[in-house]
Amino acid sequence: MMKPEDYMQQAYRCILQNDFEQAIRWFESAILAYPDHAELHYRCSITHARSQHLGPALEHARKAAQLSGGTEEYVLHLQTLEAKQLSTQAKALLEQAGNGTHERYVSAAALLKEAVKLDPLSVEAHVMLALAYSDLNEFDRAIKAVRDAISLDPQNGQLHQMYQQIKQRKNSIQ
């Protein structure tokens, strides 16, 4: 019988060849053989996340954090994925137009506040939060969110432009 390390070695060989689907199959096989091995779930989650499979990535990240008794690295990975899921849900709300738009912006802002709490380094979550607040005419909150994004990515000219646009909107409405 193969040891967990053997499976991981096979999976990494696939990853080096950019064959992430085959790597996932190796990790899944390893997990079938060793269902309580936290690191296998963690590595499988990372590979799923790289392949944009958010559902399975979250499932394995939760299992890894649970099995490891809350190993910090695993918990941080899980929080990053949960933030990404919340951001994705918020983005869908922000992209819907029509009736009930105000409520959708309020819901999106709540999801994004939670996403930023889970993953304070997510520039995308900060930017979407700034947009949601701006659309709700909550300019001070929007300005803070865009400033947070700028502090994470100071070279991004679009963020500086967004900051100016929000300030202009605030001044034109007041």
Side-chain angles (χ1 to χ4, degrees), residues 42 45 57-63 65-66 72-84 118:
Y42 172 66
S45 173
L58 272 162
E59 192 180 312
H60 287 291
R62 284 189 186 107
K63 194 77 176 158
Q66 175 197 345
E72 187 178 7
E73 185 180 3
Y74 299 176
V75 171
L76 288 173
H77 173 66
L78 174 58
Q79 288 176 333
T80 301
L81 292 175
E82 287 174 336
K84 190 171 191 64
L118 288 167

Side-chain angles (χ1 to χ4, degrees), residues 21-85:
E21 296 306 315
Q22 186 60 39
I24 288 169
R25 285 193 280 280
W26 277 108
F27 284 125
E28 300 280 359
S29 297
I31 288 166
L32 284 173
Y34 299 95
D36 295 334
H37 196 286
E39 188 180 0
L40 288 172
H41 284 280
Y42 172 66
R43 305 270 174 214
C44 188
S45 173
I46 289 172
T47 308
H48 271 297
R50 282 191 184 141
S51 298
Q52 307 302 315
H53 306 156
L54 192 54
L58 272 162
E59 192 180 312
H60 287 291
R62 284 189 186 107
K63 194 77 176 158
Q66 175 197 345
L67 289 170
S68 72
T71 297
E72 187 178 7
E73 185 180 3
Y74 299 176
V75 171
L76 288 173
H77 173 66
L78 174 58
Q79 288 176 333
T80 301
L81 292 175
E82 287 174 336
K84 190 171 191 64
Q85 184 182 44

Side-chain angles (χ1 to χ4, degrees), residues 12 14 18 22-23 32 39 44-45 51-52 71 74 77 87 99 101 103-104 120 136 138 141 144 148-149 168 170:
Y12 280 120
C14 295
N18 288 320
Q22 186 60 39
L32 284 173
E39 188 180 0
C44 188
S45 173
S51 298
Q52 307 302 315
T71 297
Y74 299 176
H77 173 66
S87 295
N99 293 337
T101 301
E103 290 76 18
R104 278 201 290 279
L136 289 166
E138 293 185 25
R141 287 179 169 177
K144 183 194 179 312
D148 291 342
Q168 284 169 352
K170 177 184 177 183

Side-chain angles (χ1 to χ4, degrees), residues 93-94 96 100-110 131-132 135-136:
L93 286 171
L94 292 173
Q96 295 170 7
T101 301
H102 180 80
E103 290 76 18
R104 278 201 290 279
Y105 286 136
V106 170
S107 298
L131 290 171
D135 288 333
L136 289 166

